[in-house]
Amino acid sequence: MKKIALAIATALTATVAHSAVVISPTTLTTTEDGATAQYKVVLDSPPNAGETVTVTPASGDFTEGTVSAPVQFTAANYSTPQYVTVTPGASGDGNDGDVSYTITNTISSSGGAYAAGPAADTTVTNSNVDGVAMVIVDPSSGFWITEGSTRIITFKTGADVTPGGGNDVTINLTNNTPGQVTLSANSVILSAGNGYSATVTISAIDDTVIDGDQAFSITTAATLSGDAAFNGVNPLDIEGFAGDNDVAAVAPVPTLGEWARIALVLMLMGIGGRAFLRRHQG
């Protein structure tokens, strides 16, 4: 009896432990005045019938980034990802350097499979753009590109410090995941002629494989420039996700006429089988 009770307790404990809120990614980089970033929230198992699970994000530094509203899950939508949007703080506060802060994700539940408490935190670094020679990469993380779709990435210098003497700034790019995305160019050049701003388009490859969202990354090399202040600057690398758009095929339900033909075949098979048995038994 003790062994049976222990087995039941172990099974119940395993079930409760398995009910988790999954946060992805847990690190993000934004830029002052730049594009928003997102992270995905999903449950790894269904809540109980009638149970509602709420995940509430809270920014640890409202001056560097704010977050969108809480997300809720039930048994009907637990496996459908929902997204929290992070809006970076504004520039104009001087050269305060790159500032990191934490977004807490708190779970509350109406009761059932999910216990109240913390989920994984999300760490965000908001990059400074004031008063420094830098190359902004926007966005650099926290975005999804659905297979077959594109996303434009902007490279530019900060507004208050640009190269002198008409010097250009060149950034070479390396696609680390060519099986997931392609680039419209392998380098960008920032010049006075384009206002020290240029773009590259990332395209997510549309395959036919049901493989879920796949991470991709693009390495930005140190800059090349005749301006010493802009030579050797290390821009942010690019990290995102190729969103899977493939779904499992659903087997078609036979029509009434098809059911009739199936029944006829089964009936004839039954008659033939009985006739075969009679011949051989006789």
PDB file of all heavy atoms in Angstrom, residues 143-176:
ATOM      1  N   PHE A 143      12.337  39.823 -32.622  1.00  0.00           N
ATOM      2  CA  PHE A 143      11.360  39.925 -33.705  1.00  0.00           C
ATOM      3  C   PHE A 143      11.252  38.598 -34.434  1.00  0.00           C
ATOM      4  O   PHE A 143      12.180  37.793 -34.445  1.00  0.00           O
ATOM      5  CB  PHE A 143      11.703  41.065 -34.669  1.00  0.00           C
ATOM      6  CG  PHE A 143      12.997  40.901 -35.414  1.00  0.00           C
ATOM      7  CD1 PHE A 143      13.021  40.354 -36.692  1.00  0.00           C
ATOM      8  CD2 PHE A 143      14.203  41.292 -34.849  1.00  0.00           C
ATOM      9  CE1 PHE A 143      14.214  40.191 -37.386  1.00  0.00           C
ATOM     10  CE2 PHE A 143      15.397  41.149 -35.532  1.00  0.00           C
ATOM     11  CZ  PHE A 143      15.405  40.595 -36.796  1.00  0.00           C
ATOM     12  N   TRP A 144      10.095  38.388 -35.041  1.00  0.00           N
ATOM     13  CA  TRP A 144       9.793  37.170 -35.799  1.00  0.00           C
ATOM     14  C   TRP A 144       9.517  37.546 -37.249  1.00  0.00           C
ATOM     15  O   TRP A 144       8.878  38.569 -37.530  1.00  0.00           O
ATOM     16  CB  TRP A 144       8.570  36.466 -35.227  1.00  0.00           C
ATOM     17  CG  TRP A 144       8.823  35.571 -34.071  1.00  0.00           C
ATOM     18  CD1 TRP A 144       8.845  34.202 -34.069  1.00  0.00           C
ATOM     19  CD2 TRP A 144       9.087  35.949 -32.704  1.00  0.00           C
ATOM     20  NE1 TRP A 144       9.108  33.718 -32.806  1.00  0.00           N
ATOM     21  CE2 TRP A 144       9.255  34.761 -31.946  1.00  0.00           C
ATOM     22  CE3 TRP A 144       9.197  37.175 -32.052  1.00  0.00           C
ATOM     23  CZ2 TRP A 144       9.527  34.764 -30.591  1.00  0.00           C
ATOM     24  CZ3 TRP A 144       9.480  37.191 -30.699  1.00  0.00           C
ATOM     25  CH2 TRP A 144       9.644  35.999 -29.975  1.00  0.00           C
ATOM     26  N   ILE A 145       9.991  36.717 -38.175  1.00  0.00           N
ATOM     27  CA  ILE A 145       9.669  36.868 -39.591  1.00  0.00           C
ATOM     28  C   ILE A 145       8.994  35.579 -40.039  1.00  0.00           C
ATOM     29  O   ILE A 145       9.615  34.508 -40.028  1.00  0.00           O
ATOM     30  CB  ILE A 145      10.925  37.114 -40.450  1.00  0.00           C
ATOM     31  CG1 ILE A 145      11.760  38.263 -39.894  1.00  0.00           C
ATOM     32  CG2 ILE A 145      10.522  37.397 -41.897  1.00  0.00           C
ATOM     33  CD1 ILE A 145      13.085  38.448 -40.622  1.00  0.00           C
ATOM     34  N   THR A 146       7.740  35.651 -40.399  1.00  0.00           N
ATOM     35  CA  THR A 146       7.023  34.458 -40.851  1.00  0.00           C
ATOM     36  C   THR A 146       7.639  33.953 -42.152  1.00  0.00           C
ATOM     37  O   THR A 146       8.018  34.750 -43.020  1.00  0.00           O
ATOM     38  CB  THR A 146       5.539  34.776 -41.073  1.00  0.00           C
ATOM     39  OG1 THR A 146       4.985  35.293 -39.865  1.00  0.00           O
ATOM     40  CG2 THR A 146       4.757  33.527 -41.479  1.00  0.00           C
ATOM     41  N   GLU A 147       7.761  32.641 -42.286  1.00  0.00           N
ATOM     42  CA  GLU A 147       8.310  32.058 -43.499  1.00  0.00           C
ATOM     43  C   GLU A 147       7.633  32.656 -44.740  1.00  0.00           C
ATOM     44  O   GLU A 147       6.411  32.751 -44.807  1.00  0.00           O
ATOM     45  CB  GLU A 147       8.124  30.542 -43.499  1.00  0.00           C
ATOM     46  CG  GLU A 147       8.975  29.822 -42.463  1.00  0.00           C
ATOM     47  CD  GLU A 147       8.734  28.328 -42.447  1.00  0.00           C
ATOM     48  OE1 GLU A 147       7.740  27.876 -43.054  1.00  0.00           O
ATOM     49  OE2 GLU A 147       9.532  27.607 -41.837  1.00  0.00           O
ATOM     50  N   GLY A 148       8.451  33.058 -45.696  1.00  0.00           N
ATOM     51  CA  GLY A 148       7.925  33.682 -46.904  1.00  0.00           C
ATOM     52  C   GLY A 148       7.792  35.188 -46.788  1.00  0.00           C
ATOM     53  O   GLY A 148       7.446  35.845 -47.775  1.00  0.00           O
ATOM     54  N   SER A 149       8.071  35.754 -45.605  1.00  0.00           N
ATOM     55  CA  SER A 149       7.961  37.195 -45.388  1.00  0.00           C
ATOM     56  C   SER A 149       9.340  37.817 -45.189  1.00  0.00           C
ATOM     57  O   SER A 149      10.357  37.114 -45.147  1.00  0.00           O
ATOM     58  CB  SER A 149       7.077  37.483 -44.168  1.00  0.00           C
ATOM     59  OG  SER A 149       5.781  36.958 -44.352  1.00  0.00           O
ATOM     60  N   THR A 150       9.365  39.142 -45.061  1.00  0.00           N
ATOM     61  CA  THR A 150      10.632  39.862 -44.937  1.00  0.00           C
ATOM     62  C   THR A 150      10.584  40.859 -43.784  1.00  0.00           C
ATOM     63  O   THR A 150       9.504  41.207 -43.290  1.00  0.00           O
ATOM     64  CB  THR A 150      10.955  40.634 -46.234  1.00  0.00           C
ATOM     65  OG1 THR A 150       9.911  41.602 -46.479  1.00  0.00           O
ATOM     66  CG2 THR A 150      11.057  39.699 -47.423  1.00  0.00           C
ATOM     67  N   ARG A 151      11.766  41.302 -43.378  1.00  0.00           N
ATOM     68  CA  ARG A 151      11.880  42.363 -42.376  1.00  0.00           C
ATOM     69  C   ARG A 151      13.057  43.258 -42.764  1.00  0.00           C
ATOM     70  O   ARG A 151      14.136  42.768 -43.106  1.00  0.00           O
ATOM     71  CB  ARG A 151      12.098  41.783 -40.974  1.00  0.00           C
ATOM     72  CG  ARG A 151      12.226  42.818 -39.854  1.00  0.00           C
ATOM     73  CD  ARG A 151      10.898  43.531 -39.604  1.00  0.00           C
ATOM     74  NE  ARG A 151      11.020  44.592 -38.619  1.00  0.00           N
ATOM     75  CZ  ARG A 151      10.612  44.488 -37.342  1.00  0.00           C
ATOM     76  NH1 ARG A 151      10.085  43.342 -36.907  1.00  0.00           N
ATOM     77  NH2 ARG A 151      10.716  45.504 -36.520  1.00  0.00           N
ATOM     78  N   ILE A 152      12.827  44.557 -42.728  1.00  0.00           N
ATOM     79  CA  ILE A 152      13.866  45.522 -43.068  1.00  0.00           C
ATOM     80  C   ILE A 152      14.622  45.912 -41.804  1.00  0.00           C
ATOM     81  O   ILE A 152      14.017  46.273 -40.788  1.00  0.00           O
ATOM     82  CB  ILE A 152      13.273  46.770 -43.742  1.00  0.00           C
ATOM     83  CG1 ILE A 152      12.655  46.384 -45.095  1.00  0.00           C
ATOM     84  CG2 ILE A 152      14.329  47.851 -43.927  1.00  0.00           C
ATOM     85  CD1 ILE A 152      11.929  47.520 -45.787  1.00  0.00           C
ATOM     86  N   ILE A 153      15.953  45.832 -41.864  1.00  0.00           N
ATOM     87  CA  ILE A 153      16.818  46.229 -40.765  1.00  0.00           C
ATOM     88  C   ILE A 153      17.529  47.523 -41.161  1.00  0.00           C
ATOM     89  O   ILE A 153      18.112  47.605 -42.262  1.00  0.00           O
ATOM     90  CB  ILE A 153      17.863  45.145 -40.440  1.00  0.00           C
ATOM     91  CG1 ILE A 153      17.177  43.782 -40.245  1.00  0.00           C
ATOM     92  CG2 ILE A 153      18.682  45.529 -39.213  1.00  0.00           C
ATOM     93  CD1 ILE A 153      16.207  43.727 -39.083  1.00  0.00           C
ATOM     94  N   THR A 154      17.493  48.498 -40.285  1.00  0.00           N
ATOM     95  CA  THR A 154      18.115  49.793 -40.562  1.00  0.00           C
ATOM     96  C   THR A 154      19.447  49.919 -39.838  1.00  0.00           C
ATOM     97  O   THR A 154      19.552  49.602 -38.649  1.00  0.00           O
ATOM     98  CB  THR A 154      17.184  50.938 -40.131  1.00  0.00           C
ATOM     99  OG1 THR A 154      15.953  50.847 -40.862  1.00  0.00           O
ATOM    100  CG2 THR A 154      17.823  52.298 -40.407  1.00  0.00           C
ATOM    101  N   PHE A 155      20.453  50.381 -40.563  1.00  0.00           N
ATOM    102  CA  PHE A 155      21.768  50.697 -40.001  1.00  0.00           C
ATOM    103  C   PHE A 155      21.961  52.203 -40.143  1.00  0.00           C
ATOM    104  O   PHE A 155      21.796  52.754 -41.239  1.00  0.00           O
ATOM    105  CB  PHE A 155      22.877  49.967 -40.752  1.00  0.00           C
ATOM    106  CG  PHE A 155      22.819  48.473 -40.658  1.00  0.00           C
ATOM    107  CD1 PHE A 155      21.934  47.739 -41.440  1.00  0.00           C
ATOM    108  CD2 PHE A 155      23.645  47.778 -39.787  1.00  0.00           C
ATOM    109  CE1 PHE A 155      21.879  46.358 -41.366  1.00  0.00           C
ATOM    110  CE2 PHE A 155      23.606  46.397 -39.697  1.00  0.00           C
ATOM    111  CZ  PHE A 155      22.712  45.684 -40.484  1.00  0.00           C
ATOM    112  N   LYS A 156      22.330  52.875 -39.065  1.00  0.00           N
ATOM    113  CA  LYS A 156      22.537  54.322 -39.132  1.00  0.00           C
ATOM    114  C   LYS A 156      23.437  54.774 -37.990  1.00  0.00           C
ATOM    115  O   LYS A 156      23.600  54.075 -36.985  1.00  0.00           O
ATOM    116  CB  LYS A 156      21.196  55.057 -39.056  1.00  0.00           C
ATOM    117  CG  LYS A 156      20.404  54.812 -37.784  1.00  0.00           C
ATOM    118  CD  LYS A 156      19.052  55.514 -37.828  1.00  0.00           C
ATOM    119  CE  LYS A 156      18.249  55.236 -36.556  1.00  0.00           C
ATOM    120  NZ  LYS A 156      16.924  55.907 -36.596  1.00  0.00           N
ATOM    121  N   THR A 157      24.018  55.955 -38.176  1.00  0.00           N
ATOM    122  CA  THR A 157      24.803  56.532 -37.099  1.00  0.00           C
ATOM    123  C   THR A 157      23.871  57.280 -36.156  1.00  0.00           C
ATOM    124  O   THR A 157      22.708  57.549 -36.486  1.00  0.00           O
ATOM    125  CB  THR A 157      25.854  57.512 -37.648  1.00  0.00           C
ATOM    126  OG1 THR A 157      25.176  58.584 -38.330  1.00  0.00           O
ATOM    127  CG2 THR A 157      26.804  56.809 -38.614  1.00  0.00           C
ATOM    128  N   GLY A 158      24.377  57.603 -34.969  1.00  0.00           N
ATOM    129  CA  GLY A 158      23.591  58.412 -34.057  1.00  0.00           C
ATOM    130  C   GLY A 158      23.348  59.794 -34.636  1.00  0.00           C
ATOM    131  O   GLY A 158      24.125  60.278 -35.482  1.00  0.00           O
ATOM    132  N   ALA A 159      22.303  60.458 -34.186  1.00  0.00           N
ATOM    133  CA  ALA A 159      21.916  61.738 -34.776  1.00  0.00           C
ATOM    134  C   ALA A 159      22.917  62.852 -34.478  1.00  0.00           C
ATOM    135  O   ALA A 159      23.083  63.777 -35.283  1.00  0.00           O
ATOM    136  CB  ALA A 159      20.532  62.135 -34.269  1.00  0.00           C
ATOM    137  N   ASP A 160      23.606  62.781 -33.344  1.00  0.00           N
ATOM    138  CA  ASP A 160      24.447  63.916 -32.954  1.00  0.00           C
ATOM    139  C   ASP A 160      25.937  63.701 -33.191  1.00  0.00           C
ATOM    140  O   ASP A 160      26.735  64.610 -32.944  1.00  0.00           O
ATOM    141  CB  ASP A 160      24.199  64.284 -31.484  1.00  0.00           C
ATOM    142  CG  ASP A 160      24.415  63.109 -30.537  1.00  0.00           C
ATOM    143  OD1 ASP A 160      24.639  61.989 -31.027  1.00  0.00           O
ATOM    144  OD2 ASP A 160      24.354  63.317 -29.319  1.00  0.00           O
ATOM    145  N   VAL A 161      26.352  62.522 -33.663  1.00  0.00           N
ATOM    146  CA  VAL A 161      27.761  62.275 -33.994  1.00  0.00           C
ATOM    147  C   VAL A 161      27.813  61.519 -35.315  1.00  0.00           C
ATOM    148  O   VAL A 161      27.356  60.371 -35.395  1.00  0.00           O
ATOM    149  CB  VAL A 161      28.480  61.460 -32.896  1.00  0.00           C
ATOM    150  CG1 VAL A 161      29.946  61.243 -33.291  1.00  0.00           C
ATOM    151  CG2 VAL A 161      28.393  62.147 -31.543  1.00  0.00           C
ATOM    152  N   THR A 162      28.356  62.149 -36.360  1.00  0.00           N
ATOM    153  CA  THR A 162      28.482  61.518 -37.668  1.00  0.00           C
ATOM    154  C   THR A 162      29.939  61.592 -38.122  1.00  0.00           C
ATOM    155  O   THR A 162      30.720  62.410 -37.610  1.00  0.00           O
ATOM    156  CB  THR A 162      27.582  62.211 -38.711  1.00  0.00           C
ATOM    157  OG1 THR A 162      27.897  63.606 -38.749  1.00  0.00           O
ATOM    158  CG2 THR A 162      26.105  62.033 -38.363  1.00  0.00           C
ATOM    159  N   PRO A 163      30.333  60.744 -39.092  1.00  0.00           N
ATOM    160  CA  PRO A 163      31.731  60.761 -39.555  1.00  0.00           C
ATOM    161  C   PRO A 163      32.121  62.120 -40.151  1.00  0.00           C
ATOM    162  O   PRO A 163      31.304  62.792 -40.783  1.00  0.00           O
ATOM    163  CB  PRO A 163      31.760  59.662 -40.614  1.00  0.00           C
ATOM    164  CG  PRO A 163      30.617  58.772 -40.266  1.00  0.00           C
ATOM    165  CD  PRO A 163      29.566  59.674 -39.721  1.00  0.00           C
ATOM    166  N   GLY A 164      33.366  62.490 -39.935  1.00  0.00           N
ATOM    167  CA  GLY A 164      33.868  63.738 -40.497  1.00  0.00           C
ATOM    168  C   GLY A 164      34.611  63.511 -41.794  1.00  0.00           C
ATOM    169  O   GLY A 164      34.951  62.386 -42.165  1.00  0.00           O
ATOM    170  N   GLY A 165      34.861  64.611 -42.504  1.00  0.00           N
ATOM    171  CA  GLY A 165      35.667  64.551 -43.726  1.00  0.00           C
ATOM    172  C   GLY A 165      35.036  63.777 -44.857  1.00  0.00           C
ATOM    173  O   GLY A 165      35.738  63.331 -45.768  1.00  0.00           O
ATOM    174  N   GLY A 166      33.733  63.593 -44.818  1.00  0.00           N
ATOM    175  CA  GLY A 166      33.064  62.857 -45.891  1.00  0.00           C
ATOM    176  C   GLY A 166      33.365  61.380 -45.916  1.00  0.00           C
ATOM    177  O   GLY A 166      33.152  60.706 -46.934  1.00  0.00           O
ATOM    178  N   ASN A 167      33.883  60.846 -44.812  1.00  0.00           N
ATOM    179  CA  ASN A 167      34.214  59.417 -44.750  1.00  0.00           C
ATOM    180  C   ASN A 167      32.975  58.533 -44.666  1.00  0.00           C
ATOM    181  O   ASN A 167      32.000  58.889 -43.994  1.00  0.00           O
ATOM    182  CB  ASN A 167      35.103  59.141 -43.538  1.00  0.00           C
ATOM    183  CG  ASN A 167      36.519  59.631 -43.737  1.00  0.00           C
ATOM    184  OD1 ASN A 167      37.248  59.109 -44.572  1.00  0.00           O
ATOM    185  ND2 ASN A 167      36.894  60.667 -42.983  1.00  0.00           N
ATOM    186  N   ASP A 168      33.058  57.389 -45.357  1.00  0.00           N
ATOM    187  CA  ASP A 168      31.994  56.387 -45.287  1.00  0.00           C
ATOM    188  C   ASP A 168      32.230  55.454 -44.105  1.00  0.00           C
ATOM    189  O   ASP A 168      33.316  55.406 -43.521  1.00  0.00           O
ATOM    190  CB  ASP A 168      31.941  55.552 -46.571  1.00  0.00           C
ATOM    191  CG  ASP A 168      31.584  56.376 -47.789  1.00  0.00           C
ATOM    192  OD1 ASP A 168      31.074  57.500 -47.617  1.00  0.00           O
ATOM    193  OD2 ASP A 168      31.842  55.897 -48.913  1.00  0.00           O
ATOM    194  N   VAL A 169      31.189  54.678 -43.784  1.00  0.00           N
ATOM    195  CA  VAL A 169      31.288  53.622 -42.778  1.00  0.00           C
ATOM    196  C   VAL A 169      30.754  52.342 -43.412  1.00  0.00           C
ATOM    197  O   VAL A 169      29.618  52.308 -43.884  1.00  0.00           O
ATOM    198  CB  VAL A 169      30.483  53.949 -41.504  1.00  0.00           C
ATOM    199  CG1 VAL A 169      30.599  52.811 -40.490  1.00  0.00           C
ATOM    200  CG2 VAL A 169      30.949  55.260 -40.897  1.00  0.00           C
ATOM    201  N   THR A 170      31.569  51.291 -43.429  1.00  0.00           N
ATOM    202  CA  THR A 170      31.167  50.024 -44.032  1.00  0.00           C
ATOM    203  C   THR A 170      30.994  48.970 -42.943  1.00  0.00           C
ATOM    204  O   THR A 170      31.849  48.833 -42.064  1.00  0.00           O
ATOM    205  CB  THR A 170      32.222  49.532 -45.049  1.00  0.00           C
ATOM    206  OG1 THR A 170      32.365  50.516 -46.085  1.00  0.00           O
ATOM    207  CG2 THR A 170      31.803  48.196 -45.658  1.00  0.00           C
ATOM    208  N   ILE A 171      29.889  48.230 -43.024  1.00  0.00           N
ATOM    209  CA  ILE A 171      29.623  47.131 -42.085  1.00  0.00           C
ATOM    210  C   ILE A 171      29.407  45.869 -42.905  1.00  0.00           C
ATOM    211  O   ILE A 171      28.474  45.785 -43.713  1.00  0.00           O
ATOM    212  CB  ILE A 171      28.375  47.395 -41.210  1.00  0.00           C
ATOM    213  CG1 ILE A 171      28.465  48.744 -40.519  1.00  0.00           C
ATOM    214  CG2 ILE A 171      28.190  46.276 -40.192  1.00  0.00           C
ATOM    215  CD1 ILE A 171      27.593  49.807 -41.148  1.00  0.00           C
ATOM    216  N   ASN A 172      30.277  44.879 -42.712  1.00  0.00           N
ATOM    217  CA  ASN A 172      30.113  43.584 -43.375  1.00  0.00           C
ATOM    218  C   ASN A 172      29.246  42.667 -42.520  1.00  0.00           C
ATOM    219  O   ASN A 172      29.319  42.699 -41.290  1.00  0.00           O
ATOM    220  CB  ASN A 172      31.474  42.939 -43.633  1.00  0.00           C
ATOM    221  CG  ASN A 172      32.280  43.700 -44.674  1.00  0.00           C
ATOM    222  OD1 ASN A 172      31.745  44.089 -45.714  1.00  0.00           O
ATOM    223  ND2 ASN A 172      33.548  43.940 -44.394  1.00  0.00           N
ATOM    224  N   LEU A 173      28.426  41.845 -43.189  1.00  0.00           N
ATOM    225  CA  LEU A 173      27.462  40.984 -42.509  1.00  0.00           C
ATOM    226  C   LEU A 173      27.722  39.520 -42.832  1.00  0.00           C
ATOM    227  O   LEU A 173      28.043  39.177 -43.968  1.00  0.00           O
ATOM    228  CB  LEU A 173      26.034  41.351 -42.933  1.00  0.00           C
ATOM    229  CG  LEU A 173      25.645  42.828 -42.816  1.00  0.00           C
ATOM    230  CD1 LEU A 173      24.259  43.047 -43.418  1.00  0.00           C
ATOM    231  CD2 LEU A 173      25.678  43.283 -41.372  1.00  0.00           C
ATOM    232  N   THR A 174      27.552  38.664 -41.826  1.00  0.00           N
ATOM    233  CA  THR A 174      27.672  37.221 -42.027  1.00  0.00           C
ATOM    234  C   THR A 174      26.387  36.545 -41.594  1.00  0.00           C
ATOM    235  O   THR A 174      25.971  36.674 -40.435  1.00  0.00           O
ATOM    236  CB  THR A 174      28.846  36.638 -41.208  1.00  0.00           C
ATOM    237  OG1 THR A 174      30.061  37.262 -41.617  1.00  0.00           O
ATOM    238  CG2 THR A 174      28.957  35.131 -41.424  1.00  0.00           C
ATOM    239  N   ASN A 175      25.755  35.830 -42.520  1.00  0.00           N
ATOM    240  CA  ASN A 175      24.534  35.086 -42.220  1.00  0.00           C
ATOM    241  C   ASN A 175      24.920  33.739 -41.625  1.00  0.00           C
ATOM    242  O   ASN A 175      25.453  32.871 -42.316  1.00  0.00           O
ATOM    243  CB  ASN A 175      23.712  34.903 -43.497  1.00  0.00           C
ATOM    244  CG  ASN A 175      22.400  34.178 -43.251  1.00  0.00           C
ATOM    245  OD1 ASN A 175      22.057  33.835 -42.120  1.00  0.00           O
ATOM    246  ND2 ASN A 175      21.651  33.942 -44.328  1.00  0.00           N
ATOM    247  N   ASN A 176      24.662  33.553 -40.346  1.00  0.00           N
ATOM    248  CA  ASN A 176      25.042  32.313 -39.662  1.00  0.00           C
ATOM    249  C   ASN A 176      24.040  31.184 -39.849  1.00  0.00           C
ATOM    250  O   ASN A 176      24.335  30.032 -39.490  1.00  0.00           O
ATOM    251  CB  ASN A 176      25.207  32.585 -38.164  1.00  0.00           C
ATOM    252  CG  ASN A 176      26.257  33.648 -37.892  1.00  0.00           C
ATOM    253  OD1 ASN A 176      27.347  33.605 -38.441  1.00  0.00           O
ATOM    254  ND2 ASN A 176      25.925  34.615 -37.056  1.00  0.00           N
TER     255      ASN A 176
END
